[in-house]
Amino acid sequence: AAGVIQSPRHLIKEKRETATLKCYPIPRHDTVYWYQQGPGQDPQFLISFYEKMQSDKGSIPDRFSAQQFSDYHSELNMSSLELGDSALYFCASTIGASGGSSGANVLTFGAGSRLTVL
Amino acid sequence: GQQLNQSPQSMFIQEGEDVSMNCTSSSIFNTWLWYKQDPGEGPVLLIALYKAGELTSNGRLTAQFGITRKDSFLNISASIPSDVGIYFCAGQTSGSRLTFGEGTQLTVNP
């Protein structure tokens, strides 16, 4: 079965540079979530999109932005990178963000993109 | 914001032993999920729980959704070396974001 595809898997940047991470959700999934996981930490929610509109916002720095495109893939743009931005960035997808506790809202995660800022 | 307290933080067990870990929250969740994460990989869903009091099994894994909707536990029976990894609980309200626990690092000695 198709999974959530993230690219690149690894990325090394210098301080103050910019980076873009891409996420391709499972086919027919219309909702995408972005999470950041620091070393030894649990994943922290950044932002989510439903049907190409921002649906929820978490602890995403102002230096970061994201969007979901017409084909439902999403991109996380990070500017003015700082050492503390080094982390694993996960994308997860699901069907619908309209509520209800059903299997349709279970998130499937990608393998992640590891960003290292030097 | 919502916080999940997961315990224990780490466990060192012998192959064949049973394992139990749990999560508690000050907030009510509609869904409890348990994920396993291998190093450098994304979390993989193990079990999803949708109703208070629900007890669900997936092979050697058993999880329960607490009656108060503020807690959940995961049991692993007859552990094997490939059970090694970090186990995360996660709570969800009505299709919104997941809130993760701090994780339990499991080490299984052959």
Side-chain angles (χ1 to χ4, degrees), chain B residues 65-87:
Chain B
F65 191 146
I67 291 290
T68 64
R69 294 200 284 158
K70 293 183 179 181
D71 62 298
S72 176
F73 72 75
L74 174 70
N75 288 337
I76 305 173
S77 62
S79 59
I80 58 178
S82 62
D83 290 335
V84 164
I86 303 177
Y87 292 79

Side-chain angles (χ1 to χ4, degrees), chain B residues 13 15 19 24 63:
Chain B
I13 61 171
E15 183 177 359
V19 170
T24 59

Side-chain angles (χ1 to χ4, degrees), chain B residues 13-33:
Chain B
I13 61 171
Q14 294 296 126
E15 183 177 359
E17 289 184 346
D18 298 342
V19 170
S20 184
M21 57 193 80
N22 69 85
C23 273
T24 59
S25 170
S26 57
S27 305
I28 289 174
F29 289 105
N30 295 334
T31 304
W32 279 93
L33 304 156

Side-chain angles (χ1 to χ4, degrees), chain A residues 9 33 35 37 41-43 45 56-58 88 90 97 99-103 105-111 114, chain B residues 30-31 33 35 37 39-45 48 50 86 88 92 94-103:
Chain A
R9 288 296 312 275
Y33 294 78
Y35 281 80
Q37 185 178 30
Q41 304 294 314
D42 55 284
F45 172 72
D56 195 4
K57 189 173 181 180
L88 270 170
F90 291 107
S101 54
S102 72
N105 292 132
V106 171
L107 273 61
T108 301
F109 284 81
R114 181 177 293 281
Chain B
N30 295 334
T31 304
L33 304 156
Y35 285 87
Q37 185 177 26
E41 298 294 326
V44 174
L45 181 67
Y50 302 108
I86 303 177
F88 287 101
Q92 186 179 39
S94 298
S96 67
R97 67 175 81 169
L98 291 183
T99 300
F100 283 87
E102 303 102 327

